[in-house]
Amino acid sequence: MDWIIFISHINDILRMYVEFSKDKYRSYIFALIYTLASYHFYLGIANQTLGEYQAFTFIPIIFLGIYHLLWGDTKRWYLVSIGLALTTYAHILSVYMSIGFAVTLFIAKLIYTREISKDRIYAIVKAILLFITLTAPVLWIFLTDFVGQNIQSPAPTIALPMTLIDIINNSLYNIVSKSTGIVLFGVAGVGWYFVKDNKVEMNIYLLGVTVLLFLTTIFPWEVLKNTPLIIIFGPIQYPYRFLNFASFFLAVTGSYGFNKLVKKQKTRYQKNLVFIVIIALNSIIYLGQISSLFINLNSNNNYLVKNSQVLKTLPDDQVITKENYQDMFSYTILFGETDYYPKQSYNGNNPNSNEFANSIISQVSYLNGKEIKVHKKVLLPNKIRYIVDLDKKGILDLPVIKYNHTNAVVDGKKISHEISKRGTIALNLSEGKHIIEISYEPGTVFYLLVCVSFISWILISYFSENKYRTNQIIYPISKIRNLKF
């Protein structure tokens, strides 16, 4: 499955980049070095941050769309909507950061050129509307079930900023880590030489280097924490998340430099030979990068065992297989265990600071305020089933957070429910045995919006594919001579 995802990443990135550069050699090189970026595999293999890992795939689509909106062909306005929508399904924080880049580039263009055409304004408006349509179900749930619902999101903060030395060491060690990796680090160092005669490529290179320096302690992150700007940067939490974008810009520059080496060759045979050497060297570096990780994994006999302690954090460097997969859910996670809990049950990553949070994590149920044991609990798709046997009537407080659109069915009948002091489901039940099912049902409007979004995807796929086939030569970057930043 990992290799299917990996190949699809290369395919999607390659398709987008062919449109940008109109050079297949360069497109293949870009797809390879971007997909094999160290931070990409840190997210997917080492850290299992799968949402951000998937979002990495769609960043080229987003920036290709931004490029067309601000400088290229406005008829390709929908690309940025597609990229942002796909990223929304994977990792909303990456959407937030991408929009931040788009706004920054838009402002930079206005400052530099002091104008923007009506066609581009119209294209931007259409892109925003299409994005809303494609993501309508997600936005609807966000508005109805999160905004104003007493739910605690991750606290805005700036944590774990990396030093430039950290980036350099991690990159030169050539390990899967929070870094650019040795190839892109080399691009950051010498890429200027290859792009010095091309203004567009130089701007892209400078963006990459600037973002790389920006995510380190060269930027005063600690000072920023005590300013109003924490409202903007706080949701990002970890500055190293900008490595996604630094890797993208530097991969664009790297592909340009490597492609110049290919194009210098006189014959097709020589070009293909140099191209194969470039691909081989990058692949060898990649194998060196992941080898230590897999050697450590294969030699590690620390198979995760089911936790029997209260509030124990999931240990590092444990082997998880299909046999012990469920056992990892008996542990808490290091950061964010109570994110999106009710505010009164949020512990701020301090396990001993909130009694309500601890009781929910430990799956404690109460009857009339006294702890009881649930006879049986079964996890079902979008549903939790409890079997209880009560020795008296009263208010049963189950360790299931009460979100908007949460429903309770008792003995086959849907009943009303209350919210407990800890923000969980509370049911008024009679004495005896009961089968309780707690489920989440988003409502009719949500499913209507799913249909709208689905139809929009079909239409935009059909029309965009037709435009792609009939108009493939669109603003090739090699022919843009007077592009103003």
Side-chain angles (χ1 to χ4, degrees):
M1 185 64 183
D2 289 339
W3 284 106
I4 293 174
I5 294 173
F6 174 75
I7 292 170
S8 69
H9 283 191
I10 289 185
N11 181 64
D12 293 341
I13 293 165
L14 181 62
R15 171 76 177 270
M16 289 299 103
Y17 203 69
V18 164
E19 181 177 340
F20 175 69
S21 68
K22 297 298 179 295
D23 189 303
K24 289 187 177 180
Y25 282 118
R26 184 179 179 185
S27 299
Y28 280 117
I29 295 169
F30 170 81
L32 185 70
I33 62 177
Y34 177 67
T35 304
L36 300 183
S38 178
Y39 185 63
H40 189 200
F41 283 93
Y42 168 80
L43 293 172
I45 298 177
N47 209 42
Q48 292 291 296
T49 312
L50 299 182
E52 194 174 353
Y53 172 69
Q54 291 287 349
F56 201 93
T57 309
F58 309 126
I59 288 175
I61 307 176
I62 294 172
F63 280 93
L64 178 62
I66 293 171
Y67 156 72
H68 279 309
L69 279 181
L70 299 181
W71 297 288
D73 184 1
T74 55
K75 292 179 181 178
R76 308 293 278 176
W77 58 268
Y78 52 84
L79 286 173
V80 71
S81 306
I82 291 172
L84 287 172
L86 292 171
T87 306
T88 299
Y89 301 152
H91 192 239
I92 290 180
L93 183 58
S94 291
V95 177
Y96 177 78
M97 296 173 71
S98 298
I99 291 174
F101 273 98
V103 171
T104 302
L105 291 172
F106 177 77
I107 293 173
K109 177 181 174 64
L110 284 181
I111 292 174
Y112 190 83
T113 64
R114 298 184 181 181
E115 62 179 1
I116 187 166
S117 69
K118 291 182 180 180
D119 287 344
R120 297 202 183 279
I121 294 294
Y122 182 49
I124 292 171
V125 172
K126 288 192 293 183
I128 293 172
L129 293 176
L130 178 60
F131 169 69
I132 292 173
T133 303
L134 295 176
T135 59
V138 180
L139 297 178
W140 174 256
I141 293 298
F142 175 76
L143 293 173
T144 60
D145 291 20
F146 176 73
V147 177
Q149 297 297 319
N150 194 43
I151 303 299
Q152 179 64 55
S153 60
T157 187
I158 299 297
L160 307 177
M162 300 181 69
T163 67
L164 184 58
I165 296 299
D166 291 333
I167 295 290
I168 294 173
N169 287 340
N170 287 348
S171 298
L172 295 181
Y173 285 153
N174 195 38
I175 56 175
V176 174
S177 61
K178 297 191 289 288
S179 71
T180 59
I182 193 168
V183 173
L184 294 182
F185 180 75
V187 171
V190 302
W192 62 270
Y193 176 80
F194 295 97
V195 301
K196 60 185 178 181
D197 298 324
N198 188 310
K199 185 176 179 181
V200 178
E201 299 289 352
M202 177 59 81
N203 285 333
I204 295 172
Y205 167 73
L206 291 176
L207 275 172
V209 173
T210 300
V211 174
L212 184 61
L213 296 177
F214 175 71
L215 64 87
T216 69
T217 51
I218 290 176
F219 185 80
W221 290 104
E222 292 298 325
V223 175
L224 182 144
K225 289 169 64 174
N226 301 312
T227 70
L229 289 175
I230 191 66
I231 297 173
I232 297 173
F233 291 99
I236 297 168
Q237 295 184 307
Y238 307 112
Y240 63 73
R241 282 176 164 153
F242 283 101
L243 278 166
N244 268 351
F245 303 93
S247 297
F248 167 72
F249 293 124
L250 292 175
V252 174
T253 299
S255 67
Y256 182 80
F258 283 125
N259 192 50
K260 286 187 88 172
L261 296 177
V262 173
K263 293 300 182 182
K264 280 185 178 180
Q265 310 309 310
K266 295 181 180 180
T267 67
R268 185 179 183 85
Y269 170 79
Q270 291 173 333
K271 289 179 180 180
N272 288 337
L273 182 62
V274 173
F275 173 75
I276 291 171
V277 170
I278 291 171
I279 297 299
L281 287 175
N282 277 277
S283 299
I284 290 170
I285 291 171
Y286 158 70
L287 291 174
Q289 195 176 80
I290 65 169
S291 61
S292 59
L293 184 67
F294 284 106
I295 289 172
N296 181 55
L297 180 64
N298 292 331
S299 62
N300 188 353
N301 294 318
N302 295 326
Y303 286 87
L304 185 71
V305 296
K306 189 171 183 178
N307 176 38
S308 58
Q309 301 178 31
V310 178
L311 304 177
K312 184 177 179 180
T313 302
L314 183 69
D316 293 330
D317 299 325
Q318 301 292 300
V319 178
I320 296 175
T321 66
K322 62 181 180 180
E323 284 77 20
N324 67 352
Y325 178 80
Q326 293 293 334
D327 293 341
M328 67 178 173
F329 299 110
S330 62
Y331 296 86
T332 63
I333 59 175
L334 182 60
F335 298 114
E337 179 68 40
T338 60
D339 288 350
Y340 307 106
Y341 270 35
K343 290 183 178 179
Q344 65 267 33
S345 297
Y346 179 71
N347 67 13
N349 294 319
N350 184 350
N352 299 312
S353 66
N354 190 300
E355 182 181 351
F356 289 160
N358 292 349
S359 67
I360 296 172
I361 296 170
S362 302
Q363 291 293 283
V364 177
S365 298
Y366 298 96
L367 180 64
N368 297 328
K370 294 184 178 180
E371 184 176 336
I372 65 165
K373 290 186 177 181
V374 173
H375 181 63
K376 189 176 182 181
K377 173 184 172 183
V378 181
L379 299 178
L380 301 169
N382 214 29
K383 184 184 297 184
I384 304 175
R385 179 181 294 156
Y386 291 95
I387 299 176
V388 298
D389 194 355
L390 307 181
D391 57 5
K392 58 183 175 180
K393 68 177 183 178
I395 303 297
L396 177 64
D397 177 4
L398 294 170
V400 181
I401 296 171
K402 168 64 176 76
Y403 295 109
N404 199 14
H405 294 114
T406 302
N407 295 315
V409 174
V410 178
D411 301 327
K413 295 181 180 180
K414 187 175 180 178
I415 66 169
S416 60
H417 53 272
E418 302 173 2
I419 304 176
S420 71
K421 291 187 296 184
R422 55 183 182 165
T424 54
I425 293 286
L427 305 169
N428 191 349
L429 300 179
S430 61
E431 179 183 348
K433 189 174 182 178
H434 299 283
I435 298 176
I436 304 167
E437 291 185 344
I438 308 297
S439 61
Y440 178 82
E441 300 174 7
T444 304
V445 174
F446 171 79
Y447 291 108
L448 288 175
L449 292 175
V450 169
C451 293
V452 170
S453 178
F454 181 71
I455 293 170
S456 299
W457 275 113
I458 292 175
L459 293 175
I460 197 64
S461 298
Y462 174 77
F463 288 113
S464 65
E465 184 65 19
N466 282 346
K467 287 183 179 180
Y468 181 81
R469 290 180 183 276
T470 58
N471 194 21
Q472 289 191 39
I473 307 301
I474 301 173
Y475 285 86
I477 194 166
S478 59
K479 295 184 179 180
I480 297 178
R481 301 303 183 191
N482 299 313
L483 178 61
K484 294 182 179 179
F485 187 81

